[in-house]
Amino acid sequence: MVLTQSLVSGILLGTFYAVIATGFSLIFGVTRVFNLAHGEFVVIGGYIGYWLWKIYGINPFMAIPASMLGLVILGTIFQRILAYTKEPYELNTLVLTFGLSLFLQNSMLALWSGNYRVIVIDSLEKSISLGIVNTSLVRILVFIFSLSSILFLHYLLKKTYFGKAMRATSQDREAAAMTGINIHRIDFLAFSIGVAMTGAAGPLFASINYLYPSVGIKATIIALIVTIFAGVGNIGGILAGGIVLGVGESLTVAILGSQWRELASSAILIALLLMRPRGLFEGKHY
Amino acid sequence: MPNNKFYGLFTIFLFLLPVFLGFDDYYLYLLNMAFLFAFLALSWSILGYAGQISFGHAAFFGLGAYTSALLSLKAGISPWIALFFGGVMAMLFSSVIGLTCFRLKGPYFSLATLAFVEIPRIITLNSEFTNGPLGLIGIPSFSSITISTITIDFYASRTGTYYVLMILLLVLTIFTHRMMKSRLGFAFSAIREGEETAEVLGVNAFKYKLLALLISAFFTGVCGALYAHIIHYIEPEIVYGLSFSAIPLVMSMFGGMLTVIGPVLGATILYLTNELIFHPISTTAHELMYGLAIVIVILFMPRGIVGWLEERKRIVYDT
């Protein structure tokens, strides 16, 4: 009973985790930027959703386009900054984005204080019974939205010209450039799609999680875990990784209690890193 | 860089500085914290010399602070001795990180350190023994020292703490300087410049990286313990917080990561600028300056202030 319950809520949550991770994974796969400010991006999207709901009463699902737009603008500025980074590129961007995450976190603290906030819409909080397990309407809606956006991204990457070019670039930049792909444009596009996906995750994050300036690290760790689990570049792997993490967390909460959840996810991250000591560019690609 | 004579004179100046400041409590507090952060930044750099970037030094800092505070609060051990055990505890935890994670290279090692902070943090948060999220209050000051007729009290006045921190920082600076000129230091540089090449030349990279981590963690733990006995109050979200991982990194890179004087200089400049200029503007969010500083350094001054000064000097000589 408890097991089924946590299995189902783990799957619902895990699909959302996959959405958090797709943006991160896409950006890392194509441009080799480990964006440690990723979690802060999610939180900023969350605040956009929160304020639109608080001030204008806009439903978080309706706020997604605004959040995506805001994040794309921010991401473009971010990319201009990253363009100046020198070698060693992976390590320098890591330190740089670490600094930017500190900057964004403190900016949010200055603007909106450290209070815990959450979007609560009574009609969406209604409990729903699926056979023997219970969940709320908002979680079901987040699940449906997450699954459809992942499928949409999958279609984009597999069927369109830009998607194919993106996959080619992530496999081998030089070879892709030689076949006539404008890799700088692809970098820009991958980054923009990545942050747009992150923006989409924001308002959803705020409706199922507490929002406060330093919560970003949780989202960053989720994205890291899922990306490392999946390796660079397969959407199916990301979805599976998200679900494994979601179920793992739910089970930890059910068995040990909610205070150990973060410890479980950190332990998973360390274990996954140790399983792939040579980094993520082995095996499959986009 | 300036010569030994300059450093000697500067040390004398530091000894006399409290007199010039009229033993003002606020200025002494600022200088004490600046020394503490300089100590932290320098401890962090010891691992940096071996080419490893850590995002998780808050783990060592927090472990040092908690170990020392608990030993002095619950077992009644003198803070002077507890300090040392704080460092040892941090070193023990670092050996776990080193033994498991040094097969990870570059950014992947850094990511693992980010995850490792969560382990002591969550355990401290959920343990009765450490008083959970409320933290520990009333941590004793360093016990007073009596030399013939003079008694140095560390609770009532900040002057005693000033000299203790200054001397400890001096000792660490000289230790680090000597280390960098020794076999150990050359091994660290070799690993940083190219791990495979160093291995081929007979440097056991794993062993030296582990040594760098152990030394770095020990001093970071001591620094955490110093913090606990000076501030008298610690809580998990602060001592295991992102700040204590990020700040030493920012300060070292800002000053000049691969030098000994750089981290000390970077810490002093950044801390004092932050406290005197940014803290009055915003008391909650003054740390955003540290974020900005790292962006500027990575983009425009990859070798920090020290590197920038050296380049300027070279230009003067060249023309």
Side-chain angles (χ1 to χ4, degrees):
Chain A
M1 184 61 213
V2 176
L3 201 69
T4 337
Q5 175 77 48
S6 45
L7 216 60
V8 171
S9 55
I11 291 169
L12 294 183
L13 195 62
T15 316
F16 175 61
Y17 285 175
V19 177
I20 292 184
T22 43
F24 183 88
S25 171
L26 191 66
I27 292 171
F28 177 65
V30 176
T31 68
R32 307 284 149 99
V33 172
F34 257 129
N35 183 10
L36 285 185
H38 182 79
E40 276 65 35
F41 281 12
V42 176
V43 177
I44 288 173
Y47 273 112
I48 294 175
Y50 177 81
W51 290 120
L52 285 177
W53 168 70
K54 191 81 182 169
I55 299 169
Y56 302 106
I58 293 172
N59 181 310
F61 293 93
M62 299 295 134
I64 287 172
S67 163
M68 286 168 88
L69 184 69
L71 263 288
V72 168
I73 294 168
L74 185 69
T76 310
I77 300 170
F78 221 64
Q79 239 197 329
R80 296 313 316 151
I81 299 174
L82 286 169
Y84 289 99
T85 317
K86 299 168 189 73
E87 289 293 329
Y89 192 69
E90 276 190 0
L91 203 59
N92 270 344
T93 52
L94 199 64
V95 174
L96 187 69
T97 55
F98 190 56
L100 286 169
S101 78
L102 198 67
F103 176 75
L104 291 176
Q105 217 180 86
N106 279 287
S107 308
M108 287 189 277
L109 193 65
L111 287 171
W112 304 310
S113 85
N115 294 347
Y116 282 46
R117 296 188 166 95
V118 68
I119 301 176
V120 182
I121 297 173
D122 291 335
S123 59
L124 292 180
E125 290 301 313
K126 179 169 73 186
S127 167
I128 286 188
S129 162
L130 299 167
I132 50 166
V133 293
N134 289 307
T135 187
S136 63
L137 182 58
V138 65
R139 285 180 185 268
I140 303 275
L141 288 175
V142 168
F143 170 73
I144 293 168
F145 180 85
S146 303
L147 201 60
S148 41
S149 58
I150 288 170
L151 290 176
F152 175 70
L153 190 69
H154 181 74
Y155 165 80
L156 209 67
L157 286 172
K158 291 282 179 196
K159 302 289 180 206
T160 64
Y161 168 77
F162 277 119
K164 286 175 187 165
M166 238 178 262
R167 278 157 52 211
T169 312
S170 97
Q171 281 169 15
D172 190 328
R173 292 179 72 84
E174 275 87 37
M178 260 187 278
T179 60
I181 293 168
N182 183 344
I183 56 171
H184 296 294
R185 185 181 294 166
I186 293 300
D187 278 353
F188 177 74
L189 203 71
F191 207 94
S192 304
I193 295 175
V195 288
M197 283 295 280
T198 314
L204 306 182
F205 185 86
S207 49
I208 56 174
N209 262 301
Y210 280 107
L211 202 62
Y212 49 95
S214 59
V215 74
I217 183 81
K218 279 187 199 167
T220 308
I221 288 188
I222 291 169
L224 278 169
I225 292 174
V226 175
T227 304
I228 293 168
F229 178 89
V232 162
N234 66 76
I235 297 280
I238 290 176
L239 192 57
I243 289 172
V244 168
L245 179 63
V247 171
E249 279 193 354
S250 304
L251 287 176
T252 315
V253 171
I255 297 165
L256 296 173
S258 63
Q259 70 271 35
W260 299 104
R261 194 177 73 178
E262 287 159 57
L263 191 63
S265 41
S266 299
I268 296 173
L269 175 55
I270 293 165
L272 284 173
L273 280 168
L274 292 174
M275 274 183 238
R276 292 177 180 267
R278 273 171 229 248
L280 306 181
F281 283 95
E282 298 165 90
K284 291 178 181 172
H285 291 276
Y286 276 110
Chain B
M1 285 318 296
N3 55 16
N4 283 339
K5 202 170 154 192
F6 172 83
Y7 286 123
L9 283 173
F10 191 69
T11 311
I12 295 169
F13 169 73
L14 283 181
F15 261 103
L16 295 175
L17 192 58
V19 183
F20 298 142
L21 294 172
F23 299 100
D24 182 280
D25 238 19
Y26 177 62
Y27 288 122
L28 282 176
Y29 167 78
L30 283 184
L31 287 172
N32 286 350
M33 292 310 281
F35 286 158
L36 196 83
F37 279 113
F39 195 93
L40 182 63
L42 197 53
S43 311
W44 183 90
S45 315
I46 294 174
L47 184 59
Y49 299 138
Q52 310 299 311
I53 304 289
S54 158
F55 291 149
H57 263 50
F60 311 138
F61 188 87
L63 274 171
Y66 262 97
T67 308
S68 187
L70 285 170
L71 280 176
S72 60
L73 272 175
K74 305 222 166 171
I77 293 173
S78 161
W80 295 108
I81 298 162
L83 194 70
F84 174 76
F85 286 106
V88 171
M89 189 62 151
M91 201 159 86
L92 285 177
F93 186 66
S94 79
S95 69
V96 177
I97 300 182
L99 291 173
T100 50
C101 290
F102 269 138
R103 52 204 195 107
L104 303 173
K105 301 275 183 287
Y108 299 96
F109 172 76
S110 306
L111 290 176
T113 60
L114 194 66
F116 262 107
V117 188
E118 298 291 296
I119 295 172
R121 187 176 75 89
I122 301 290
I123 292 173
T124 312
L125 263 176
N126 293 314
S127 163
E128 290 270 318
F129 184 65
T130 57
N131 210 14
L134 297 175
L136 299 169
I137 52 167
I139 301 163
S141 299
F142 289 107
S143 31
S144 53
I145 300 175
T146 310
I147 306 162
S148 65
T149 53
I150 312 160
T151 302
I152 307 170
D153 183 273
F154 294 95
Y155 185 70
S157 134
R158 292 203 164 104
T159 320
T161 314
Y162 174 90
Y163 286 110
V164 168
L165 286 174
M166 198 201 92
I167 290 167
L168 283 177
L169 180 61
L170 209 64
V171 169
L172 182 66
T173 313
I174 295 169
F175 168 84
T176 314
H177 181 74
R178 283 287 171 83
M179 189 186 75
M180 292 313 289
K181 295 269 177 271
S182 74
R183 207 183 150 76
L184 200 61
F186 292 132
F188 291 170
S189 311
I191 292 166
R192 185 185 68 233
E193 298 302 329
E195 204 170 314
E196 277 84 21
T197 322
E199 289 265 15
V200 170
L201 293 172
V203 178
N204 183 342
F206 179 79
K207 182 181 122 191
Y208 283 104
K209 285 199 290 187
L210 189 61
L211 266 175
L213 180 64
L214 291 176
I215 299 170
S216 173
F218 175 80
F219 286 119
T220 310
V222 169
C223 189
L226 287 168
Y227 175 89
H229 294 296
I230 290 170
I231 305 290
H232 309 303
Y233 165 69
I234 54 176
E235 62 172 288
E237 298 295 353
I238 292 178
V239 291
Y240 293 113
L242 183 66
S243 301
F244 283 114
S245 294
I247 286 176
L249 175 150
V250 175
M251 287 171 164
S252 305
M253 289 204 157
F254 186 77
M257 213 181 103
L258 306 177
T259 61
V260 177
I261 208 67
V264 178
L265 201 66
T268 318
I269 294 174
L270 279 186
Y271 179 75
L272 292 180
T273 327
N274 194 37
E275 281 305 302
L276 295 171
I277 298 171
F278 289 89
H279 199 272
I281 299 173
S282 164
T283 46
T284 48
H286 56 98
E287 274 174 12
L288 69 84
M289 193 210 62
Y290 292 120
L292 266 187
I294 195 69
V295 174
I296 292 167
V297 165
I298 289 276
L299 297 182
F300 304 111
M301 305 195 301
R303 288 169 60 224
I305 291 186
V306 172
W308 181 72
L309 286 174
E310 275 175 358
E311 241 152 66
R312 269 175 54 114
K313 201 161 76 185
R314 205 172 60 222
I315 292 164
V316 173
Y317 286 147
D318 284 351
T319 47

